[in-house]
Amino acid sequence: MNTLTAKNFTIFVIPAVLLAATFWFMPRVPELPPARLELLPHLPYPAIALGAILSIHFHRGRALFVFLLLAVSHWSFQGNATELPRGIEATVLYQSVTLLVPLNIALLSLMRERGIVTVAGRIRFAFLGLQALLVWWAMTPGHVAVQQLLAGHLSAAGMVAGSPLPPPAIPAIVLSGLLVAARAGLKQSPVDSAFLGALMAFAVAGNGIDHPHVTPVFMTAAAVILSLGVLKDSYNMAFRDELTGLPSRRALSEQLTWLGRRYSVAMVDVDHFKKFNDTYGHDVGDQVLRLVAAKLRGVGGGGKAYRYGGEEFTILFPHRSREEVLGRLEELRRAIADYRMRLRSSDRPASSREGKRQRSGTPQGRDCVSVTISIGVAESSSELRRPTDVIKAADDALYRAKGRGRNQVST
């Protein structure tokens, strides 16, 4: 089971920086030319529209629904620009938006990505539409009891620390924020970390509804944060291997165009990988690939590992000769060969600490396997000028290592 560590929360750096920049920019907004200040209340709409287009293009249904929530929220806030809601209808709308939007963002964060026009996507559209109908029903004349019940939470006596946010919305925002943060930290999802940034910006926008310029500035920030999350998530899908977490072959191809004249390439292949799959199943095969990827990630010597395809990996060593990296590769080969991997099973310890304690010993039995790798390495030269030539030479060396009995490094 994944556990939250300080490293997990580096995913929140971009949303945090954008929020900090928005707070820094806020006092400078009144200094803008009058013509730009007139456009400011409308600025969130193109930002939200751009984010929605990106979400549709990259098939990010959850993000699209959050953009829809932001659009409705800003529309409702605009009716109360620079002042608190007045009248039963405006009060009910404000109460409903500030309560429901955080809860919906948290709910979308906990859901899996299911697309937009799929059955799941249509159900989510219907769910949001049903909430909108209920709010509209509560706002229409003839429902005085419901309106008084909702609007009563916005009375002066119900304010929390001078905030215009209704008391029910504050715990909803806090709880939703904690859920989204935990989800993003565990899953390392850029979209979910952007959900948290957008939620915080939404909370500031709702809280600043009676102050000039706060609401449009922070609603724009919410849209920008979420748009960057969609772009980052889509980049990861294209350039990062989902199973191992390593950069993908596409990322390798781009990196090869930036290499200098001096570098080495190592091709790594898991020995007898098909046998692992046939004997233990594809789940164990996935465990093996993740194990090898984790070891490759720590190779050192300036090397960077990539998932080349299947059970094959590539390590680039910029500005390193073949002789300089051979020692590192030999250490890597031994570290993997000496490791005993405990197979996941129904009696696997629930505690990650207990699991680590068991793995630290020398377990025996049929629930443990070992794995070896073969490595071929080549370096750039006057004969091997193109990266593709160096990779082919490393691949040839890899086949020589396999031909000599596997579990070795060959040049």
Side-chain angles (χ1 to χ4, degrees), residues 92-105:
V92 168
L93 180 60
Y94 180 74
Q95 164 86 10
S96 302
V97 167
T98 53
L99 175 63
L100 292 176
V101 168
L103 296 177
N104 276 283
I105 292 177

Side-chain angles (χ1 to χ4, degrees), residues 330-396:
E330 182 61 29
E331 291 176 6
L332 173 68
R333 182 199 64 77
R334 287 199 302 266
I336 293 176
D338 294 341
Y339 189 86
R340 296 296 179 268
M341 186 179 73
R342 187 178 181 87
L343 300 181
R344 296 177 186 266
S345 61
S346 58
D347 61 345
R348 185 180 179 217
S351 167
S352 59
R353 180 178 298 178
E354 175 64 16
K356 184 177 181 180
R357 185 192 67 78
Q358 291 186 10
R359 291 191 297 270
S360 65
T362 49
Q364 302 294 331
R366 60 184 298 180
D367 60 344
C368 296
V369 297
S370 60
V371 61
T372 62
I373 58 172
S374 298
I375 304 175
V377 59
E379 67 175 310
S380 58
S381 64
S382 57
E383 292 80 18
L384 302 175
R385 294 183 178 181
R386 297 183 301 174
T388 53
D389 295 333
V390 182
I391 289 179
K392 185 179 185 305
D395 209 37
D396 292 341

Side-chain angles (χ1 to χ4, degrees), residues 253-314:
S253 298
E254 291 216 350
Q255 184 64 41
L256 290 173
T257 63
W258 303 336
L259 288 174
R261 294 184 177 180
R262 184 172 179 241
Y263 59 90
S264 293
V265 175
M267 298 298 293
V268 181
D269 190 84
V270 180
D271 296 330
H272 304 295
F273 183 71
K274 185 177 184 300
K275 181 179 177 181
F276 273 98
N277 277 338
D278 293 342
T279 304
Y280 300 105
H282 290 283
D283 288 343
V284 174
D286 289 347
Q287 283 183 253
V288 168
L289 293 177
R290 282 191 287 263
L291 163 67
V292 172
K295 298 295 185 181
L296 294 182
R297 193 177 288 114
V299 64
K304 185 173 182 180
Y306 299 82
R307 174 91 181 273
Y308 193 75
E311 67 271 26
E312 199 167 11
F313 300 85
T314 304

Side-chain angles (χ1 to χ4, degrees), residues 11-22 46-55 58 60 63-64 66-67 70 188-198 219-237:
I11 198 169
F12 299 107
V13 170
I14 293 178
V17 169
L18 289 174
L19 281 174
T22 306
I48 292 171
L50 177 60
I53 292 171
L54 289 173
S55 300
F58 292 115
R60 294 296 181 268
L64 176 62
V66 175
F67 278 117
L70 293 178
Q188 291 294 283
S189 166
V191 167
D192 287 313
S193 68
F195 281 177
L196 180 62
M219 290 302 290
T220 302
V224 171
I225 290 171
L226 188 52
S227 296
L228 289 178
V230 171
L231 289 173
K232 176 64 175 173
D233 187 64
S234 301
Y235 174 88
N236 286 350
M237 290 289 290

Side-chain angles (χ1 to χ4, degrees), residues 49 51 66 84 88-89 149 203 210 215 257 316 324 346 371 408 410:
V66 175
L84 292 175
I88 292 293
E89 292 183 3
L149 176 64
D210 56 341
T215 296
T257 63
L316 290 185
E324 289 176 307
S346 58
V371 61
Q408 58 184 275
S410 178

Side-chain angles (χ1 to χ4, degrees), residues 143-223:
H143 304 106
V144 178
V146 175
Q147 293 170 352
Q148 289 179 341
L149 176 64
L150 293 174
H153 291 296
L154 285 174
S155 63
M159 297 302 176
V160 177
S163 170
L165 288 172
I170 294 176
I173 291 171
V174 173
L175 177 61
S176 299
L178 292 174
L179 289 173
V180 175
R183 167 76 176 185
L186 287 171
K187 299 298 183 181
Q188 291 294 283
S189 166
V191 167
D192 287 313
S193 68
F195 281 177
L196 180 62
L199 174 58
M200 296 300 99
F202 166 83
V204 176
N207 186 66
I209 195 170
D210 56 341
H211 296 285
H213 316 311
V214 170
T215 296
V217 168
F218 276 91
M219 290 302 290
T220 302

